[in-house]
């Protein structure tokens, strides 16, 4: 198992659909995601099929370095929460190397298990028409709560790669 450590830049939530999520002083992570966030809950509706299924996208995590790079590249100013992320982290790279089953562990005890990469959606065109295509493979990851608690900006975060393999995240279960 390999580890990498960084820090939390911002924590965000939004009770309704849409972006941006609103930065908070802290977020409470319950068994089904960030309390008070639109995407939390035990079930979700599939965008593709419309069927209700187990929510394997309870929490989203984005790399601050990606937001900064896209802001420079496109000459825009995506704010914290602008990618629809619950947690913005720094010092961990672009998160594209994470695989299903890897864990994101926070200083205060919260553990999120990665389920897949978070593909860009058309909603991101709010910031720039090319943002969905330019952020392909860099929008971060989504996952499920393995351990509940509170997350605050500036706390330490550690990536735990649980398996070494060549396959990328995004395989459908």
């Amino acid at each position: 198992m390999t580890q990498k450590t960084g820090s939390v830049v911002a924590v965000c939530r939004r009770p309704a659909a849409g972006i941006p999520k609103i930065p908070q002083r802290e977020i409470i992570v319950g068994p089904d995601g960030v309390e008070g966030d639109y995407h939390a809950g035990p079930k979700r509706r599939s965008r593709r099929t419309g069927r209700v299924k187990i929510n394997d996208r309870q929490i989203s995590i984005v790399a601050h370095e990606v937001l900064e790079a896209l802001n420079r590249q496109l000459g825009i100013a995506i704010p914290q929460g602008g990618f629809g992320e619950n947690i913005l982290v720094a010092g961990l790279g672009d998160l594209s190397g994470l695989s299903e089953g890897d864990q994101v562990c926070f200083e205060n005890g919260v553990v999120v298990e990665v389920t897949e990469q978070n593909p860009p959606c058309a909603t991101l065109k709010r910031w720039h028409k090319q943002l969905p295509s330019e952020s392909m493979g860099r929008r971060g990851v989504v996952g499920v709560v393995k351990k509940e608690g509170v997350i605050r900006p500036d706390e330490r975060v550690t990536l735990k790669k649980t398996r070494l393999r060549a396959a990328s995240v995004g395989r459908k279960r």
Side-chain angles (χ1 to χ4, degrees):
M1 178 170 17
T2 60
Q3 292 188 12
K4 191 172 187 180
T5 302
S7 63
V8 175
V9 174
V11 293
C12 308
R13 68 184 169 107
R14 182 182 177 105
I19 56 173
K21 291 193 186 236
I22 311 304
Q24 307 290 311
R25 288 187 186 144
E26 66 181 25
I27 53 173
I28 299 169
V29 178
D32 299 316
V34 176
E35 291 185 7
D37 187 68
Y38 178 78
H39 290 100
K43 305 254 186 219
R44 73 178 181 95
R45 186 169 301 281
S46 170
R47 284 188 210 153
R48 200 168 27 103
T49 66
R51 292 189 181 133
V52 174
K53 60 184 193 172
I54 291 173
N55 187 0
D56 59 356
R57 299 171 56 85
Q58 296 172 339
I59 293 184
S60 61
I61 304 169
V62 169
H64 187 248
E65 294 85 349
V66 170
L67 269 162
E68 289 179 327
L70 289 166
N71 279 337
R72 282 190 306 274
Q73 178 184 340
L74 298 173
I76 56 179
I78 305 165
Q80 294 176 349
F83 253 33
E85 75 275 9
N86 294 115
I87 306 164
L88 187 61
V89 297
L92 301 173
D94 67 8
L95 308 179
S96 65
L98 292 179
S99 300
E100 180 178 352
D102 290 339
Q103 294 185 336
V104 185
C105 305
F106 297 87
E107 182 177 352
N108 288 330
V110 173
V111 177
V112 175
E113 184 174 284
V114 173
T115 56
E116 65 181 305
Q117 289 287 324
N118 194 10
C121 64
T123 307
L124 296 177
K125 288 182 180 180
R126 168 184 180 159
W127 309 117
H128 192 284
K129 67 181 179 178
Q130 292 176 321
L131 189 56
S133 62
E134 294 298 325
S135 61
M136 188 63 71
R138 301 190 292 168
R139 191 174 177 209
V141 295
V142 291
V144 295
V145 177
K146 288 301 187 182
K147 189 169 179 199
E148 304 167 38
V150 175
I151 302 175
R152 295 177 184 92
D154 299 321
E155 80 177 65
R156 193 175 58 241
V157 58
T158 303
L159 298 181
K160 290 186 179 176
K161 302 257 319 145
T162 57
R163 293 179 248 174
L164 297 175
R165 64 182 173 281
S168 66
V169 176
R171 291 179 289 134
K172 298 297 177 202
R173 295 194 209 213

